[in-house]
């Protein structure tokens, strides 16, 4: 059970590391082929099930325009039941653009499933409990990324 708990934590660390280093192969490897994502506490959009490649593209387009991001996760409470796991973890996500930043704080509610390739995220809900800075930076970073894509 301890090995499974550590493996689940490693998946969550890979999620954050993949996003922050723009290692989209690592990021993708953390998820099942179909994943339910709920960011409603941040952006108001309802939860939805999406193909993993669509989710990766969404995150890539949303984060790549930032100069840097850092997603810190901590206090992982992992429960294992057979081939399923549930983890709650605190998160603080900093997004920098030029000399400005927006920081989201809260917690993740994550459900995972054991596969032949290891533990993978099947659903992830972000619960934003505080924020600092302007959410306008997300739209600005997305525009910057799209402009950079058009220029290449």
């Amino acid at each position: 059970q301890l090995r499974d708990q550590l493996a689940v934590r490693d998946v969550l660390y890979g999620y954050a590391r993949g996003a922050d280093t723009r290692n989209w192969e690592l990021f993708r490897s953390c998820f099942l082929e179909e994943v339910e994502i709920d960011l409603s506490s941040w952006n108001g959009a309802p939860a939805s099930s999406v193909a993993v490649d669509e989710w990766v593209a969404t995150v890539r387009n949303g984060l790549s325009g930032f100069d840097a991001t850092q997603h810190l996760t901590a206090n992982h409470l992992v429960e294992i039941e057979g081939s399923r796991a549930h983890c709650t973890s605190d998160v603080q996500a900093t997004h920098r653009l030029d000399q400005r930043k927006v920081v989201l704080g809260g917690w993740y509610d994550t459900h995972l499933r054991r596969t032949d390739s290891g533990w993978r995220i099947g659903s992830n809900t972000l619960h934003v409990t505080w924020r600092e800075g302007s959410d306008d930076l997300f739209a600005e970073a997305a525009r910057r990324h799209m402009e950079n894509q058009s220029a290449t």
Side-chain angles (χ1 to χ4, degrees):
Q1 185 138 357
L2 185 56
R3 282 187 185 147
D4 283 332
Q5 289 177 348
L6 292 171
V8 165
R9 289 182 181 118
D10 283 348
V11 171
L12 297 174
Y13 297 144
Y15 171 103
R17 173 67 65 189
D20 292 337
T21 62
R22 311 304 188 251
N23 181 337
W24 303 117
E25 185 176 317
L26 171 60
F27 184 79
R28 186 189 192 286
S29 75
C30 297
F31 298 93
L32 295 173
E33 289 300 312
E34 185 83 12
V35 62
E36 182 175 316
I37 301 297
D38 185 348
L39 303 175
S40 59
S41 70
W42 168 59
N43 63 14
S48 63
S49 288
V50 295
V52 66
D53 290 330
E54 181 181 343
W55 171 236
V56 172
T58 298
V59 175
R60 172 185 264 168
N61 291 335
L63 295 184
S64 293
F66 283 102
D67 297 325
T69 59
Q70 185 177 50
H71 293 75
L72 301 174
T73 64
N75 302 326
H76 299 90
L77 300 175
V78 181
E79 300 168 347
I80 307 288
E81 284 192 31
S83 64
R84 301 203 179 271
H86 175 240
C87 181
T88 58
S89 56
D90 295 333
V91 61
Q92 183 173 316
T94 303
H95 308 78
R96 293 195 59 86
L97 184 62
D98 301 324
Q99 296 302 312
R100 298 165 294 155
K101 68 180 176 181
V102 58
V103 184
L104 304 176
W107 57 283
Y108 284 124
D109 185 16
T110 309
H111 293 266
L112 303 93
R113 193 168 50 205
R114 186 192 325 262
T115 70
D116 291 340
S117 302
W119 290 98
R120 298 293 181 260
I121 297 170
S123 73
N124 197 35
T125 301
L126 171 64
H127 298 272
V128 174
T129 57
W130 62 272
R131 61 184 77 210
E132 179 183 299
S134 173
D135 277 352
D136 293 343
L137 284 185
F138 288 102
E140 190 174 333
R143 277 194 303 277
R144 178 192 274 188
H145 176 65
M146 296 313 271
E147 288 170 2
N148 289 341
Q149 292 294 95
S150 298
T152 56

